[in-house]
Amino acid sequence: MGNGDGGLGGSRPITPGLGSLHDNQAVHLINADLHSHSLVSDGTMTPAALAQRAHAQGVELWALTDHDETGGLAEARATAAALGMSWLSGVEVSVSFAGETVHIVGLGFDADDEALRQGLQATRGGRRQRARQMADGLAQAGVDGAFEGALRYVSNPELITRTHFARFLVDSGVCNETHEVFRRFLTEGKPGYVPHQWARLGDAVRWITQAGGVAVIAHPARYRFSPSAEYALFSEFVAHGGQGVEVMTGSHSEPERIRYADMALEFGLLASRGSDFHSPTESRTELGSLPDLPGRLTPVWEALEHRVQR
Ligand code: AMP
Ligand code: MN
Ligand code: MN
Ligand code: MN
């Protein structure tokens, strides 16, 4: 696809000297943000308010990707349409792989697909029980009432997440900010951490792809894998039909962006771009505020042209 064809594939030469990330002298022009959360999972804004904020920030192609849940997509879609902002369906599926939780973003699928709906529902299923166990652990560490406390921040009763516990612990004065809560209470080995069995990698990829979408490895630098385990993740993901990886995400440093741009090429993956925005006060990366994808990569939206609502 060339310039000026009215599609989503515009590119322009960039000024030299931006480093090896942009070594073929061009970037993909469109301001796409294909990773964000509403209060249907652990964001703080309604899907409609999030759409308005994305549009106001200059986002041209947007996807709402709530955790394990597509309940916000109808509102997101309608608001994007009213604003004249291009839109793709989205979800972020929680997966267990090699002892670690991995997130797989799905884009451009049919949200009415029955196998996808059932798979997501099963993935959400254990969250409430897990939250009770998290609260038990926190009580043993001296933090009482965490289950009821976290619930006060929950909009979707099927989606109690660690983020909701973090909000409770900050607002009740136990910690100063959410990152401190995760460090002290909610990560492996800490009192509020409960190991959990999420979806299997192959299942998550199949739910998305068989519903007509593209599966994308979210924020790969966040996982604490050895090089061989990471290689296994990418290899198995591709073997199951996965097609994309996030290169530009709020979770990646500049060296990590270069590393995963290289990985995208090595594994023949489409590249995605998304802020992972959750909240105006908690998120470090604003909607749409990321570097453009380098021209040497193929953006995931080029494979999803036919699924984009304009
Ligand atoms: P859960 O699905 O319940 O395990 O919650 C995972 C969510 O917690 C992620 O989607 C992030 O929004 C949030 N999260 C995970 N780690 C951190 C961290 N270190 N700091 C802030 N938020 C985090
Ligand atoms: Mn989250
Ligand atoms: Mn994630
Ligand atoms: Mn996310």
Side-chain angles (χ1 to χ4, degrees):
M1 225 169 37
N3 288 327
D5 61 1
L8 295 172
S11 63
R12 62 175 152 78
I14 57 157
T15 47
L18 286 187
S20 60
L21 192 52
H22 297 108
D23 58 4
N24 88 340
Q25 304 291 304
V27 295
H28 295 280
L29 256 186
I30 184 170
N31 189 343
D33 192 331
L34 302 180
H35 191 149
S36 61
H37 297 272
S38 75
L39 47 66
V40 169
S41 63
D42 60 346
T44 60
M45 301 173 72
T46 63
L50 201 62
Q52 279 152 5
R53 187 181 182 98
H55 185 249
Q57 293 291 335
V59 172
E60 295 162 292
L61 172 63
W62 174 60
L64 173 68
T65 54
D66 277 312
H67 297 288
D68 309 322
E69 170 68 275
T70 56
L73 294 185
E75 181 181 323
R77 175 182 197 154
T79 314
L83 292 164
M85 178 170 62
S86 295
W87 178 88
L88 280 167
S89 59
V91 69
E92 182 175 18
V93 186
S94 310
V95 161
S96 296
F97 181 86
E100 181 83 24
T101 297
V102 167
H103 286 170
I104 300 297
V105 163
L107 296 170
F109 50 82
D110 169 10
D112 294 326
D113 182 89
E114 198 46 41
L116 173 71
R117 292 175 73 91
Q118 283 178 19
L120 294 178
Q121 188 173 27
T123 307
R124 292 194 296 272
R127 279 187 177 272
R128 207 172 173 90
Q129 180 61 27
R130 170 192 186 232
R132 288 210 179 271
Q133 293 175 308
M134 289 170 63
D136 290 345
L138 289 168
Q140 281 171 24
V143 181
D144 290 324
F147 182 77
E148 294 74 18
L151 261 192
R152 289 207 300 272
Y153 297 85
V154 169
S155 302
N156 178 349
E158 290 189 344
L159 245 126
I160 314 179
T161 74
R162 285 186 290 163
T163 312
H164 299 106
F165 280 89
R167 290 189 183 126
F168 166 67
L169 286 166
V170 170
D171 290 350
S172 58
V174 177
C175 294
N176 289 318
E177 44 98 35
T178 50
H179 290 277
E180 183 192 339
V181 185
F182 278 88
R183 210 170 45 245
R184 285 177 52 196
F185 291 105
L186 298 182
T187 42
E188 202 169 342
K190 301 299 161 63
Y193 182 80
V194 174
H196 193 73
Q197 194 61 45
W198 301 108
R200 293 193 304 192
L201 178 66
D203 290 338
V205 171
R206 270 186 298 279
W207 298 333
I208 295 162
T209 53
Q210 291 184 1
V214 167
V216 175
I217 299 174
H219 43 63
R222 287 244 301 260
Y223 315 126
R224 295 159 305 163
F225 283 134
S226 65
S228 63
E230 182 179 68
Y231 191 87
L233 169 67
F234 275 68
S235 305
E236 290 189 33
F237 174 74
V238 169
H240 288 302
Q243 296 181 71
V245 62
E246 284 184 348
V247 173
M248 293 302 172
T249 139
S251 299
H252 284 181
S253 66
E254 184 68 8
E256 288 164 350
R257 288 167 179 160
I258 295 168
R259 171 169 162 66
Y260 290 100
D262 291 342
M263 290 277 276
L265 291 175
E266 181 182 349
F267 283 89
L269 293 169
L270 302 161
S272 194
R273 178 180 191 267
S275 61
D276 207 358
F277 184 86
H278 285 68
S279 147
T281 54
E282 296 164 9
S283 293
R284 293 171 181 175
T285 305
E286 181 54 80
L287 287 157
S289 294
L290 290 161
D292 293 316
L293 283 178
R296 66 190 172 110
L297 302 180
T298 305
V300 65
W301 54 85
E302 285 192 5
L304 287 166
E305 284 272 359
H306 60 296
R307 314 286 306 188
V308 174
Q309 167 189 279
R310 289 195 176 77

